[in-house]
């Protein structure tokens, strides 16, 4: 009888698998990267867009679907597109960071990204991963469950993406070039945006303020994406509570809050119930800023939540109370509530094969003589590093190509697993440790190994909240705290039962975060701070994950249209 039941169970599972494969679709898109005149803050500027849209087009698919996106570069800058949070199982050539998995698409050329979504659903996004073009080249990537698979929460009446961004009243490449030339911090943005619009609190902006319309009593799924180039952001809606149900394309145990904090690169799904008196309410976002004595954009962007049956068409909407710019207590209380839903796919490593400790933070490069190229603090240039190594991207090939084609002299595999010198990371750091070394160093991970990384903020120049993104993987956040990580004390408090699953995590200001994952995806994968000024200064490293003896055996061969350098 048992064998008989097992036989029918296998048949049933085979039918379910065949049906899921049969319903999987392939979606074809064309992205034309081009200059487009856009008016914001009273002035019209040519910005780089996709298909003339700012933000760019939203892509929708289901778990199991395949995306084929042909990118045609009609702009004057090199460009790549990164599909932020997509695991890219066996398709690392489609990941997108320039000089890591591909050389950039040159003006007048094209490249087709092909990848399949595997066991992911929720909200991700796509963006440029070359220079600072991400400031305007980005859009939502919405992954719905497979047909017949429900959400783990009440089905919303509607859903929509809310993309939070930054706007400069200057050409963004000029802003980057100036920062590179001077060695100083870049000019801060002139405005924040919600779905590309600054909102009522900025000059020349109220007519185009983004709006979300709701009926009384309905539930709306808001897909909040922080596409800002350099800034963590608070988000809230006047008089409305938000129920957080997902982060970075992973569901969490629902909890209610008045304020959400999203770091650059992160996504958060919230349910909003239209349960307030019919009227107009501001959705608002502004900075969470933690670096000491660092300039930041202290303005507030708004959009409007408006009830269809509102009798008040013109009164000013109600503005929510947002936290103070440096309110770390609110951030800590918020993030501590994020926990994974029970799931058979929740596989938190308990036996660790690779135990890594990475310091992250800023640094300064000493200049021998004063001059226009040394406008950082006290005649220096800003830098950033991990384990005191400031990452340098190659320029003649990509890291993945160099490994796959055995091109010598492009990188080394001696990235240190721990800092070469232990010090009081969040205390008074010796000036001798402020200047990093420079190199293109990778760390090799054995395929299938269980990895733990402790990311430790440092007080070099300033402690700061760093959003760290790992390409090609999601990971479990098993612990966070303030001060220096103490393994004998802090490991005992790790959450190995329901830790949140993420692809980007904010390392607390003056603190640490511990993450775990299984190295089951062969390729060369970038790990970096998603504050783009920090990435440009070198706050990054790369993992090389092999499958087999010295080979990337299970990945696809390079596509024939892979861009040359």
């Amino acid at each position: 009888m048992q064998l008989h039941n097992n036989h029918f169970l296998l048949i049933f599972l085979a039918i379910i698998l065949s049906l899921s494969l049969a319903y999987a679709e392939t979606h074809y898109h064309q992205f034309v990267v081009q200059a487009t005149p856009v008016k914001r803050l009273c002035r019209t500027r040519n910005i780089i867009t996709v298909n003339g849209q700012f933000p760019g087009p939203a892509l929708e698919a289901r778990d199991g679907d395949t995306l084929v996106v042909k990118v045609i570069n009609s702009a004057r800058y090199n460009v790549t597109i990164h599909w932020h949070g997509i695991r890219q199982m066996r398709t690392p050539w489609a990941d997108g960071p320039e000089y890591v998995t591909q050389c950039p698409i040159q003006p007048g050329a094209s490249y087709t990204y092909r990848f399949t979504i595997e066991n992911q659903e929720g909200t991700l996004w796509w963006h440029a991963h070359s220079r600072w073009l991400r400031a305007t080249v980005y859009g939502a990537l919405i992954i719905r469950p497979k047909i017949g698979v429900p959400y783990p929460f009440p089905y919303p009446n509607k859903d929509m993406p809310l993309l939070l961004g930054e706007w400069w009243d200057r050409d963004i490449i000029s802003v980057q070039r100036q920062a590179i030339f001077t060695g100083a911090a870049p000019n801060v943005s002139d405005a924040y945006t919600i779905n590309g619009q600054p909102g009522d609190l900025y000059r020349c902006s109220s007519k185009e303020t983004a709006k979300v319309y709701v009926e009384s009593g309905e539930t709306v799924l808001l897909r909040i994406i922080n596409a800002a180039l350099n800034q963590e952001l608070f988000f809230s809606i006047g008089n409305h509570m938000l129920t957080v149900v997902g982060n970075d394309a992973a569901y969490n145990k629902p909890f209610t809050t008045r304020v959400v904090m999203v770091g650059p690169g992160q996504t958060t799904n919230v349910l909003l119930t239209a349960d307030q008196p019919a009227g107009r309410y501001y959705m608002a976002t502004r900075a969470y800023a933690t670096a000491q004595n660092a300039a930041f954009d202290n303005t507030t962007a708004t959009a409007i939540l408006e009830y269809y049956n509102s009798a008040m068409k013109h009164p000013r909407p109600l503005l929510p109370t947002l936290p103070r710019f440096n309110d770390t207590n609110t951030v800590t209380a918020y993030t501590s509530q994020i926990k994974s839903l029970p799931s058979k796919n929740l596989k938190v490593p308990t036996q660790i094969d690779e135990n890594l400790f990475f310091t992250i933070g800023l640094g300064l490069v000493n200049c021998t003589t004063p001059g226009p190229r040394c406008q950082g603090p006290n005649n220096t240039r800003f830098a950033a590093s991990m384990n005191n190594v400031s990452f340098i991207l190659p320029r003649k090939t990509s890291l993945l190509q160099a490994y796959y084609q055995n091109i010598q002299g492009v990188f080394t595999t001696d990235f240190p697993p721990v800092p070469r010198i232990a010090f009081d990371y969040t205390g008074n750091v010796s000036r001798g440790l402020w200047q990093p070394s420079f190199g293109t160093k990778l760390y090799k991970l054995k395929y299938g190994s269980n990895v733990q990384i402790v990311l430790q903020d440092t007080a070099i120049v300033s402690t700061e909240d760093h959003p760290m993104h790992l390409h090609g993987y999601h990971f479990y956040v098993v612990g966070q705290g303030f001060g220096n990580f103490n393994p004998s004390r802090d490991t005992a408090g790790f959450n190995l039962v329901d830790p949140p699953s993420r692809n980007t995590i904010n390392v607390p200001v003056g603190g640490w975060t511990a993450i775990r994952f299984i190295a089951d995806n062969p390729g060369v994968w970038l790990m970096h701070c998603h504050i783009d000024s920090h990435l440009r200064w070198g706050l990054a490293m790369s993992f090389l994950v092999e499958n087999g003896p010295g080979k990337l055996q299970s990945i696809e061969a390079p596509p024939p249209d892979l861009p040359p350098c």
Side-chain angles (χ1 to χ4, degrees):
M1 177 62 74
Q2 183 65 40
L3 290 175
H4 185 71
N5 290 340
N6 288 343
H7 178 70
F8 278 104
L9 177 61
L10 289 173
I11 293 175
F12 176 75
L13 292 175
I15 292 172
I16 294 297
L17 178 62
S18 63
L19 286 175
S20 65
L21 293 174
Y23 283 121
E25 297 183 23
T26 300
H27 304 268
Y28 295 88
H29 299 275
Q30 181 169 285
F31 277 12
V32 179
V33 180
Q34 61 191 68
T36 303
V38 170
K39 185 177 182 180
R40 297 292 186 275
L41 306 183
C42 312
R43 303 175 69 175
T44 299
R45 294 193 173 279
N46 272 338
I47 65 170
I48 305 302
T49 67
V50 167
N51 298 349
Q53 301 176 41
F54 174 64
L59 303 185
E60 297 193 25
R62 293 187 181 275
D63 181 20
D65 287 356
T66 297
L67 288 173
V68 180
V69 185
K70 182 177 182 179
V71 177
I72 300 171
N73 188 3
S74 296
R76 57 184 175 134
Y77 305 113
N78 291 346
V79 72
T80 65
I81 301 295
H82 170 51
W83 315 95
H84 187 111
I86 293 290
R87 291 209 57 199
Q88 300 293 358
M89 300 297 292
R90 300 169 301 282
T91 53
W93 306 105
D95 191 42
E98 66 173 352
Y99 298 111
V100 177
T101 60
Q102 67 170 98
C103 293
I105 308 166
Q106 298 174 10
S110 65
Y111 177 51
T112 300
Y113 295 89
R114 298 174 176 85
F115 56 91
T116 298
I117 301 166
E118 296 187 27
N119 299 315
Q120 292 185 278
E121 55 187 75
T123 303
L124 296 174
W125 64 303
W126 57 265
H127 60 80
H129 212 300
S130 43
R131 301 199 188 186
W132 282 5
L133 295 179
R134 181 167 74 81
T136 57
V137 179
Y138 61 82
L141 175 50
I142 298 169
I143 307 171
R144 304 193 186 281
K146 293 180 179 179
I147 293 175
V149 177
Y151 290 128
F153 48 79
Y155 199 87
N157 299 97
K158 65 178 70 169
D159 72 71
M160 61 191 64
L162 290 179
L163 294 105
L164 314 181
E166 284 180 280
W167 176 267
W168 276 261
D169 210 9
R170 292 179 54 194
D171 174 66
I172 191 60
I173 300 301
S174 297
V175 174
Q176 183 189 24
R177 284 173 175 165
Q178 180 183 6
I180 293 171
F181 177 80
T182 64
N187 291 342
V188 299
S189 57
D190 297 288
Y192 299 113
T193 58
I194 300 178
N195 285 352
Q197 294 293 342
D200 290 359
L201 306 185
Y202 298 89
R203 64 187 188 277
C204 306
S205 300
S206 59
K207 289 183 178 180
E208 289 78 27
T209 297
K211 291 184 178 180
V212 173
Y213 292 95
V214 295
E215 296 277 6
S216 290
E218 71 179 359
T219 299
V220 183
L221 176 62
L222 299 176
R223 302 173 182 269
I224 305 168
I225 300 167
N226 186 347
L229 199 68
N230 292 322
Q231 191 60 64
E232 291 91 352
L233 293 168
F234 289 116
F235 175 85
S236 187
I237 302 178
N239 256 28
H240 288 74
M241 297 295 291
L242 305 172
T243 300
V244 180
V245 294
N247 294 272
D248 293 355
Y251 298 120
N252 62 260
K253 295 177 179 177
F255 66 92
T256 58
T257 180
R258 287 199 179 275
V259 64
V260 171
M261 199 287 286
V262 278
Q266 291 185 324
T267 70
T268 299
N269 282 6
V270 301
L271 292 175
L272 175 142
T273 301
D275 57 2
Q276 294 301 303
R280 305 168 78 230
Y281 301 86
Y282 273 132
M283 301 184 284
T285 187
R286 76 174 181 189
Y288 168 52
T290 58
Q292 299 173 16
N293 303 316
F296 67 94
D297 180 351
N298 63 0
T299 61
T300 301
T302 58
I304 295 174
L305 177 74
E306 183 168 332
Y307 285 65
Y308 277 119
N309 51 350
S310 172
M312 299 180 293
K313 294 298 183 184
H314 302 294
R316 189 176 185 84
L318 179 67
L319 188 68
T321 300
L322 287 163
R324 302 184 312 277
F325 297 117
N326 61 350
D327 191 348
T328 296
N329 289 337
T330 291
V331 172
T332 304
Y334 169 77
T335 55
S336 65
Q337 297 181 78
I338 304 174
K339 300 181 187 300
S340 289
L341 282 175
S343 169
K344 66 180 186 304
N345 295 321
L346 196 68
K347 298 176 182 177
V348 186
T350 54
Q351 301 298 318
I352 301 302
D353 304 307
E354 294 274 3
N355 200 345
L356 308 176
F357 184 85
F358 292 170
T359 57
I360 59 173
L362 305 182
L364 297 173
V365 177
N366 297 323
C367 297
T368 54
T369 57
R373 299 186 64 86
C374 288
Q375 295 184 30
N378 301 317
N379 186 38
T380 61
R381 296 177 60 83
F382 272 107
S385 67
M386 299 178 67
N387 278 356
N388 209 42
V389 177
S390 191
F391 191 67
I392 298 176
L393 288 170
R395 283 293 181 266
K396 294 183 179 179
T397 187
S398 73
L399 296 174
L400 183 58
Q401 287 171 287
Y403 179 78
Y404 196 85
Q405 299 170 1
N406 197 28
I407 302 173
Q408 301 298 307
V410 178
F411 62 84
T412 59
T413 55
D414 57 346
F415 184 86
V418 296
R420 291 196 171 97
I421 299 175
F423 57 97
D424 183 2
Y425 307 112
T426 56
N428 188 13
V429 184
S430 166
R431 284 277 177 165
L433 296 172
W434 283 42
Q435 179 160 319
S437 62
F438 294 84
T440 307
K441 298 178 182 292
L442 279 59
Y443 188 86
K444 292 178 70 171
L445 289 174
K446 182 180 178 181
Y447 178 81
S449 60
N450 293 332
V451 184
Q452 175 177 294
I453 307 173
V454 174
L455 298 163
Q456 174 72 61
D457 187 28
T458 74
I460 298 174
V461 181
S462 172
T463 55
E464 188 171 357
D465 184 278
H466 293 279
M468 298 299 296
H469 174 47
L470 175 58
H471 290 233
Y473 287 87
H474 57 238
F475 48 78
Y476 296 106
V477 184
V478 297
Q480 287 188 301
F482 292 98
N484 296 335
F485 176 72
N486 183 329
S488 61
R489 176 194 65 207
D490 296 323
T491 304
F494 281 0
N495 176 9
L496 304 180
V497 177
D498 56 2
S501 174
R502 308 215 61 150
N503 62 59
T504 306
I505 186 62
N506 287 285
V507 177
V509 53
W512 56 270
T513 293
I515 66 173
R516 292 185 178 184
F517 62 95
I518 302 172
D520 59 357
N521 193 10
V524 177
W525 304 107
L526 184 66
M527 186 178 200
H528 65 97
C529 181
H530 221 269
I531 296 175
D532 271 29
S533 59
H534 294 182
L535 172 60
R536 179 59 183 80
W537 290 337
L539 211 170
M541 57 82 63
S542 280
F543 287 107
L544 169 59
V545 183
E546 298 179 321
N547 184 13
K551 293 182 180 180
L552 296 175
Q553 291 181 335
S554 66
I555 72 169
E556 298 175 359
D561 61 342
L562 191 70
C565 283

